[in-house]
Amino acid sequence: MGRMKEWWVQVGLLSVPLLAVYLHIPPPRLSPALLSWKASGAFFTYKHQSIFYRDSTGAVGSSDVVILLHGFPTSSYDWSKIWEGLTQRFHRRPHHYSIFEQASIVERLVRHLGLHHQRINLLSHDYGDTVAQELLHRYEHNKTGSILINSLCLSNGGIFPETYYPRFIQKVLKDGGLLSPIITRLMNFFFFSRGLGAVFGPYTQPSQAEYWDMWTAVRTNDGNLVVDSILQYINQRKKHRDRWVGALMSTSVPLHLIYGPLDPVNPHPEFLQLYKKVLPMSTVSVLDDHISHYPQLEDPTGFLNAYLNFINSF
C-alpha cells in the first residue's frame, strides 16, 4: 500500500512540470495562406482592442457594399473560398466578427471605413447571424449610429433558440463554471478538429491543412482562453429571443437564408419548417443534402450562386 501511494506521488510530481510545459506551448505559426489573408487585411482599435478586418474594392461600376459576419469558433478566413467571387459583384467587402458589443464593433468599423451613409448588404453565418439580427433591430428602431441595411442573408445560425442544438463541449464550456478555464487551457488540435469535424458533412470535411489553419486562428492571441466567455451567446439568444427574432419578423428589408440541411446544430427539417413558418416573407436556398453547418466552405460555388441570385433579385 505504501509503495502504491509513493508511486502516485511520483506520477503527480512528474505531471506538474509536464502540464506546465503543455500550457505554455506557443500557438502554431500562420500558414502561407493565413499569412496572405492577414497581410491583405488591416486593424482598427475598439476599446483598446485591436480588431482585424479585410476590406477590398471589387467590381468596377458597382457601388454596392457587403459586410461578411463570420461564425464561431472559426475566423474571417471562413469567407476565403467565396471572396474572389464576391469581388465580381460588389464594390467593397469589409467584414468582421461578432452580440451587443460585437454589433457595436461592426458599426464602428462601418464609420471607420466611411460607409455610414451608404446602404449595406449583410451576409452572415452562425454566430454572425445573431450579430446581424442585433444590427437589424437597431436599424429598425433608428438607434443612433446604426448602419443602413439594404439586405440580410443568413446561413446556418442559431436564429431560433428552440431549434438550436449546441455540441456537448459547448454546453460544458458555457456552464462549466470553474471547470471551463481548465478545459480551454487543455484544448488541443486533436479535440478541436474532432469537434469541428462533427459539424461538417462526411464528404466535405476540411483537409488537415485547413483544420490547422482554423486551429491556428483560434490560438492566435490566446483566443482559446476566451472560448467559454464567448459561448455565453447561447444563453443570450434565449434571453433576447423576442428582440432578435422580432427584428426579422417586423423588417421590410429583403431577407434570405442559405441552408446546409445536414447541419446537426440546426437540424432539418425542424429548423427549416420553423423558419418558413415564422418568416414566410423570406426567400430560402437549400443546398445539396450532404452540405452541413459550414455551407460557404463545403459548397462555395453553390453558396455564392445562391447569394448572388438573391442579391440580383431586388
Side-chain angles (χ1 to χ4, degrees):
M1 190 71 178
R3 288 183 179 179
M4 180 64 72
K5 182 177 182 181
E6 181 180 340
W7 182 82
W8 276 110
V9 170
Q10 290 174 346
V11 170
L13 291 174
L14 180 62
S15 300
V16 170
L18 289 176
L19 182 60
V21 170
Y22 173 79
L23 294 178
H24 288 85
I25 293 176
R29 293 184 178 182
L30 300 184
S31 69
L34 279 181
L35 283 171
S36 176
W37 184 262
K38 182 179 179 181
S40 300
F43 291 85
F44 81 104
T45 302
Y46 179 83
K47 294 184 177 180
H48 308 294
Q49 296 293 320
S50 187
I51 308 296
F52 175 80
Y53 68 94
R54 184 173 177 182
D55 175 28
S56 66
T57 301
V60 176
S62 172
S63 60
D64 293 344
V65 175
V66 59
I67 290 183
L68 313 179
L69 304 172
H70 70 76
F72 173 86
T74 44
S75 69
S76 60
Y77 196 57
D78 288 354
W79 301 111
S80 61
K81 292 186 178 182
I82 66 170
W83 187 266
E84 292 305 319
L86 290 175
T87 65
Q88 307 303 314
R89 173 61 176 79
F90 291 95
H91 178 62
R92 293 181 79 175
R93 293 163 323 287
H95 83 177
H96 194 299
Y97 308 24
S98 334
I99 297 198
F100 290 109
E101 185 176 37
Q102 305 299 349
S104 296
I105 294 175
V106 176
E107 291 173 340
R108 180 70 63 84
L109 175 60
V110 168
R111 292 195 296 273
H112 175 77
L113 296 174
L115 299 172
H116 48 294
H117 295 306
Q118 189 164 347
R119 290 200 165 271
I120 304 294
N121 299 287
L122 294 178
L123 172 57
S124 60
H125 170 247
D126 186 65
Y127 183 31
D129 283 359
T130 310
V131 179
Q133 288 172 261
E134 172 59 22
L135 289 168
L136 183 64
H137 172 86
R138 297 181 186 187
Y139 168 69
E140 293 292 344
H141 290 79
N142 298 311
K143 299 289 186 181
T144 302
S146 61
I147 65 176
L148 302 176
I149 300 177
N150 188 55
S151 70
L152 171 57
C153 180
L154 308 158
S155 60
N156 287 79
I159 300 167
F160 308 111
E162 58 268 42
T163 60
Y164 178 75
Y165 298 92
R167 312 307 290 169
F168 174 74
I169 188 62
Q170 290 180 309
K171 296 178 182 178
V172 171
L173 286 173
K174 79 178 182 68
D175 299 324
L178 295 176
L179 190 62
S180 295
I182 298 174
I183 296 175
T184 58
R185 282 164 174 77
L186 294 177
M187 189 184 301
N188 59 37
F189 172 75
F190 174 77
F191 289 110
F192 173 81
S193 58
R194 286 288 296 273
L196 199 60
V199 298
F200 279 82
Y203 310 115
T204 54
Q205 288 286 308
S207 66
Q208 193 76 354
E210 289 173 327
Y211 274 130
W212 267 109
D213 282 342
M214 294 173 185
W215 173 240
T216 300
V218 169
R219 284 295 315 276
T220 301
N221 296 326
D222 294 324
N224 57 302
L225 301 184
V226 297
V227 166
D228 54 331
S229 177
I230 296 174
L231 280 169
Q232 296 309 307
Y233 75 84
I234 296 174
N235 297 327
Q236 292 175 28
R237 281 172 172 168
K238 294 178 181 178
K239 180 178 180 181
H240 301 290
R241 184 196 185 282
D242 290 347
R243 177 187 181 98
W244 292 333
V245 175
L248 296 173
M249 294 174 66
S250 62
T251 190
S252 59
V253 166
L255 290 178
H256 190 67
L257 170 73
I258 302 176
Y259 180 57
L262 199 59
D263 187 356
V265 182
N266 303 283
H268 184 272
E270 183 182 356
F271 166 79
L272 194 58
Q273 288 174 346
L274 181 60
Y275 185 91
K276 290 181 175 181
K277 178 181 178 181
V278 175
L279 302 170
M281 69 291 195
S282 173
T283 52
V284 175
S285 296
V286 181
L287 301 182
D288 290 344
D289 291 346
H290 65 277
I291 304 301
S292 188
H293 184 66
Y294 277 87
Q296 76 274 41
L297 291 176
E298 299 177 62
D299 183 12
T301 300
F303 188 98
L304 181 62
N305 288 339
Y307 183 60
L308 294 181
N309 285 338
F310 163 60
I311 285 294
N312 293 330
S313 69
F314 59 89

